[in-house]
Amino acid sequence: MTEKATHIEAHADDEAKKLGMWLFIFTELLLFGGLFLVYSVFRAKYPANFHEGSLELSVTIGAINTIVLLVSSMTIAMSLTAIQKNNRKLAMTLISVTLFLATVFLFNKVFEWGAKFEHGLYPGSKLMPMLERGDLLYFSLYFFMTGLHALHIIVGMVLLTICLFKVKSGNVNSKKYIHLENGALYWHLVDLIWIFLFPLLYLIT
Amino acid sequence: MANNTTHTTEYRVLARVLLVLMFLTFLTISVTSYHLAAFGVTVALLIAGTKGFLVLTYFMHLKYESLLLRILVSMVFVLYAVIILITFIDYAYR
């Protein structure tokens, strides 16, 4: 087989890998989409409870986490630019910065959830069933949606750590970077979901 | 060469997108703090939609992807809009 033919094959394979990643992202979008649907129906039904519930959340922590995720989304996008420009060291630094920001996000989340737990507000607590129906729905959705999102942050961190080692070993390089590209796509998805979670859970007027 | 078809997004473009995203975050917090009731959620969703569009276009570099992929992504959002519409019609008329 000629060299040209193998090169085209390898390229076609990368395109398929990227398309596969996008198909997976579609399922993730519809997974959270389903939750947003449940949220909007109950919010339309219990607007006052949802408003009161949102007042219990700290807009400051939510805003800080929004900024943290937006910056981390930029750094991982930049790491792809760096590897395309064959700057391995910068790419590794940028992935590490992204991982650090992800840790900051989770730390804030633990702090935020911890404050709720202290007030006896957590799924399965004695307090939860005593709440009004609208409040119960708001906090159940809050814990489930932010919890599922936090799980995605953890999965993203695992994927990006694998990418970091692949860049280090030279498995991901300026000619072959589909793994980092797909890892970055996953991370952007996590950011994309938070962009909608933040105003809907924290900023209810 | 196949490499010519892949696009490299410059650092400064990504940095500019981040600045816009941060500004929009600030905007959504200040707008919703004015208690505009039903109007507030529309504005918040419009801003979130714009932010999502920017992330998809530049960070997920859909701007430089094939038409097929761009259509596929658009279709997911169209599908979701239809699902929301049907659900609310169901709730409104039952």
Side-chain angles (χ1 to χ4, degrees), chain A residues 5-61:
Chain A
T6 46
H7 189 81
I8 289 168
E9 248 174 42
H11 175 67
D13 194 26
D14 279 358
E15 281 294 299
K17 281 177 184 167
K18 201 195 282 180
L19 184 60
M21 189 65 199
W22 271 103
L23 289 177
F24 171 64
I25 287 175
F26 294 166
T27 69
E28 291 276 35
L29 285 174
L30 290 176
L31 167 69
F32 276 93
L35 290 169
F36 280 121
L37 192 63
V38 175
Y39 166 91
S40 38
V41 167
F42 285 128
R43 177 172 166 169
K45 232 175 162 180
Y46 305 98
N49 295 105
F50 272 55
H51 172 60
E52 277 166 36
S54 78
L55 294 179
E56 298 288 320
L57 305 188
S58 160
V59 175
T60 317
I61 292 187

Side-chain angles (χ1 to χ4, degrees), chain B residues 5-54:
Chain B
T5 57
T6 52
H7 182 269
T8 306
T9 314
E10 286 301 326
Y11 300 119
R12 58 173 195 284
V13 176
L14 296 170
R16 245 179 256 156
V17 172
L18 177 69
L19 283 180
V20 177
L21 286 170
M22 283 185 166
F23 169 73
L24 288 173
T25 307
F26 171 75
L27 193 68
T28 197
I29 294 170
S30 46
V31 165
T32 44
S33 67
Y34 282 121
H35 300 290
L36 300 166
F39 184 62
V41 68
T42 316
V43 174
L45 280 177
L46 276 177
I47 294 174
T50 312
K51 285 166 78 182
F53 181 78
L54 285 172

